[in-house]
Amino acid sequence: MSLRKKAAGGAAIAAATALGLALLPSTAAASEDQLSEAYAIGASGLLNIEKTPYLDSSAGFQEKSLASVDIPENLASVGVLNAAVDTGSASASVADVKVNLAAILDLGELTQLSAAVIEATCENGEGSAALADAKIAGTALDVSPAPNTGVDIPGVASVMLNKQVENEDGTLGVTALSVDLLNSSQTIDIAHATCGTKSDDSDNGDGDNGGDNGDNGGDNGGDNGDNGGDSASGGKAPAPTPVTGHHPVTG
Amino acid sequence: MSKRTSLHSHARTRSGRFRAAPLIGLAAVVAITVSGCGGDGEDGDQQAQSDVQPIAKEELLKLPEATTFGDIEGAPKDPAPTEPTDGAVVQVTEEVPVYDDKGGEPFARMPAKQLGSPTWLAVLDQQDDWFQVLLPSRPNASTGWLHNDNGVLETAENDFLVEVDTADFSMTLTEAGNEVGSWEIGTGTEEHPTPTGRAAIISSLEESVKDYSPLVLPLSSHSDSHETYGGGPGTVGIHGWPDDSVMGTETSDGCIRVPADALEKLSTVPLGTVVLVS
């Protein structure tokens, strides 16, 4: 990755060596893992919305939040959009969603879809969806729909809640709310997360496994042998297990 | 979570003292509500176990997330932003509500992860099963109260403290009051100063995109001058720098730049470690 770049790389790698971070094995391990991905909203067909904000786990952990996004006004309006990915996990959410299917075709009363929050989560190959104040055509939707809960608008549209699809690479794709109009001539996906299962050595710092972090080479065990990564109540706080990833701090 | 479930757990948590079935627990809670605060004696002891305002999953979902991306107005302010804590930290093992007071109203939700790391928070105050913690969300010095419902919080003691003096570009790391190291550091410019006050380390990232530092330690604090930065929310961090000539200078956009040996030591301090910036 960029840590291999020449520019400033020498100092970074020297510092990394001082830290005992085994960069190359860690990077190699990340590339072998199944790729996670997440986006808050995407649509294709007669009207297109690029998957936004789109993230995949090729650089490890990343998270993004957008206050708004440009989408065709007559199709939908959304509030804050979030997406987060890491090796073996992904999540996405959208707040204050309103979708007007009448932008595509006239379905009369059956055209309004709204929710305060729509959220998809994928963790170690298992998916879930959560919806708050969600309604389609005035009908309230369950807060925790079972996988692949269909809501049909006969003949023209189908809405799938907690749509779960197993991909060819073995990852699971979870879409909290997926709209399919006129045999896929228009699809709208709201809150999507794809993840695989974590390999044994891709520790993401769950707090209870500080001892087995092979890819980081025991970099933080020495000074805190009494902590041992064990977070049992009342003990000493554990040394952290660094997570491979990126967040734009203020340099 | 239903009200009944919550009250049941309350009664169970205190079963050693109340020896009470859930229904009796409910009666006790109602009595507390009616009598209000400020009692003493036996009643006072029970009142100290402030009741938990139950919240349904759907309502919890609608609350803003207390993460570095959040901007949550109305959160209680840090009561002592220049003081060290007593070292207590809590891990949030699953998403919990954040309340504005013990037994108060929920105003945010605290997820189990912060920037990919498990959520560990600095505890500012503790009363029974209630913990006042430093929030990772904007504005700076925001706090909230968490309730240890059914053991969702893991408590631990943290002996480490990081003190930063921006006036003389110094950082000191102590463990149980003993100095582990002291270094010259770089800070934010006059235009984009490193925010002062009490912050905490919220994550440990082995940086995979930028090459200025192998490790980045994001803090709970945010730049007051950068509303956003690089597509993120202006999170302040501690990290290394390829060139030590920045140490002793005001040249960052708010971050704290430290030499490699400081970063090595800091890489081992627990999440939730308090960083006092003056």
Side-chain angles (χ1 to χ4, degrees), chain B:
Chain B
M1 186 180 297
S2 73
K3 184 166 189 172
R4 185 169 295 276
T5 303
S6 173
L7 291 172
H8 186 268
S9 71
H10 179 89
R12 274 177 43 186
T13 305
R14 296 290 146 203
S15 59
R17 296 168 76 169
F18 293 153
R19 302 178 61 80
L23 195 58
I24 296 171
L26 176 63
V29 166
V30 170
I32 290 165
T33 306
V34 169
S35 63
C37 299
D40 50 22
E42 272 187 39
D43 285 343
D45 188 40
Q46 290 188 12
Q47 283 163 16
Q49 329 288 335
S50 302
D51 188 20
V52 185
Q53 293 290 323
I55 180 165
K57 180 181 180 184
E58 193 161 15
E59 296 307 308
L60 185 62
L61 261 180
K62 289 194 275 184
L63 297 177
E65 281 189 299
T67 69
T68 191
F69 298 95
D71 189 350
I72 305 170
E73 293 302 324
K77 299 303 276 186
D78 185 342
T82 61
E83 301 294 322
T85 64
D86 69 2
V89 287
V90 287
Q91 184 187 4
V92 177
T93 61
E94 59 182 83
E95 186 169 80
V96 294
V98 183
Y99 298 85
D100 62 3
D101 202 351
K102 303 171 290 295
E105 293 293 323
F107 67 93
R109 50 177 168 143
M110 180 64 70
K113 283 193 174 178
Q114 299 289 340
L115 293 175
S117 291
T119 299
W120 279 97
L121 303 164
V123 175
L124 310 182
D125 193 4
Q126 181 188 355
Q127 289 179 33
D128 304 306
D129 284 342
W130 288 93
F131 296 83
Q132 186 180 23
V133 295
L134 204 53
L135 299 184
S137 45
R138 280 181 186 269
N140 289 339
S142 291
T143 76
W145 289 85
L146 310 181
H147 186 255
N148 194 9
D149 236 359
N150 298 320
V152 292
L153 305 180
E154 297 276 359
T155 61
E157 290 304 317
N158 179 8
D159 293 332
F160 292 90
L161 174 68
V162 178
E163 290 173 280
V164 172
D165 186 334
T166 56
D168 64 5
F169 303 103
S170 70
M171 171 186 282
T172 304
L173 172 66
T174 54
E175 181 178 8
N178 302 313
E179 185 174 309
V180 175
S182 184
W183 305 276
E184 184 178 49
I185 56 152
T187 62
T189 62
E190 200 172 321
E191 189 185 357
H192 302 296
T194 301
T196 56
R198 184 157 65 173
I201 298 171
I202 62 169
S203 178
S204 176
L205 291 175
E206 192 181 322
E207 178 57 59
S208 62
V209 174
K210 301 290 186 184
D211 52 16
Y212 58 77
S213 178
L215 187 78
V216 173
L217 300 173
L219 303 182
S220 57
S221 54
H222 295 77
S223 168
D224 287 320
S225 55
H226 285 296
E227 194 178 331
T228 63
Y229 189 86
T235 313
V236 173
I238 297 175
H239 55 72
W241 198 254
D243 175 2
D244 273 357
S245 70
V246 301
M247 306 310 161
T249 69
E250 296 180 335
T251 44
S252 84
D253 272 298
C255 274
I256 298 165
R257 296 169 174 173
V258 302
D261 57 332
L263 196 60
E264 182 187 356
K265 288 280 194 296
L266 291 166
S267 72
T268 66
V269 309
L271 299 173
T273 293
V274 166
V275 180
L276 276 180
V277 182
S278 61

Side-chain angles (χ1 to χ4, degrees), chain A residues 13 15 22 34 69 71 79 112 121 145 154 185 199 212 227 238 244:
Chain A
I13 289 169
Q34 295 160 318
V69 62
I71 47 180
Q112 296 296 328
T121 306
S185 54
S199 56
D212 64 354
N227 300 337
T244 301

Side-chain angles (χ1 to χ4, degrees), chain A:
Chain A
M1 300 292 200
S2 57
L3 282 169
R4 293 173 176 172
K5 285 178 187 171
K6 291 289 181 199
I13 289 169
T17 307
L19 281 172
L21 297 176
L23 296 178
L24 298 181
S26 158
T27 308
S31 65
E32 286 165 13
D33 282 310
Q34 295 160 318
L35 211 58
S36 303
E37 64 168 9
Y39 55 89
I41 191 166
S44 65
L46 303 167
L47 291 169
N48 287 298
I49 303 172
E50 246 183 79
K51 294 172 180 175
T52 308
Y54 178 84
L55 289 173
D56 70 39
S57 64
S58 54
F61 165 82
Q62 283 198 79
E63 186 167 353
K64 202 153 192 180
S65 181
L66 295 176
S68 62
V69 62
D70 277 338
I71 47 180
E73 260 182 44
N74 58 344
L75 176 61
S77 66
V78 292
V80 177
L81 306 103
N82 292 305
V85 290
D86 200 347
T87 306
S89 68
S91 62
S93 67
V94 189
D96 302 324
V97 184
K98 279 188 186 140
V99 178
N100 179 25
L101 302 180
I104 311 295
L105 54 118
D106 185 6
L107 296 170
E109 286 300 302
L110 301 176
T111 58
Q112 296 296 328
L113 188 161
S114 64
V117 180
I118 298 178
E119 194 173 272
T121 306
C122 189
E123 186 78 40
N124 204 18
E126 293 191 12
S128 64
L131 297 86
D133 292 354
K135 287 179 184 173
I136 295 178
T139 302
L141 304 178
D142 190 52
V143 61
S144 302
N148 301 311
T149 301
V151 182
D152 271 338
I153 303 173
V156 281
S158 68
V159 174
M160 190 77 89
L161 308 177
N162 194 7
K163 180 182 173 183
Q164 300 202 1
V165 176
E166 210 168 293
N167 300 311
E168 281 182 9
D169 65 355
T171 56
L172 176 75
V174 187
T175 309
L177 194 153
S178 180
V179 181
D180 187 314
L181 282 174
L182 298 172
N183 294 322
S184 302
S185 54
Q186 177 72 50
T187 61
I188 305 168
D189 287 335
I190 300 174
H192 176 91
T194 292
C195 76
T197 50
K198 286 178 199 169
S199 56
D200 286 345
D201 63 348
S202 62
D203 180 4
N204 285 295
D206 290 335
D208 57 356
N209 47 13
D212 64 354
N213 183 23
D215 59 355
N216 286 318
D219 49 309
N220 46 22
D223 294 343
N224 294 285
D226 55 336
N227 300 337
D230 183 356
S231 60
S233 269
K236 292 291 182 191
T241 302
V243 176
T244 301
H246 172 66
H247 177 70
V249 294
T250 56

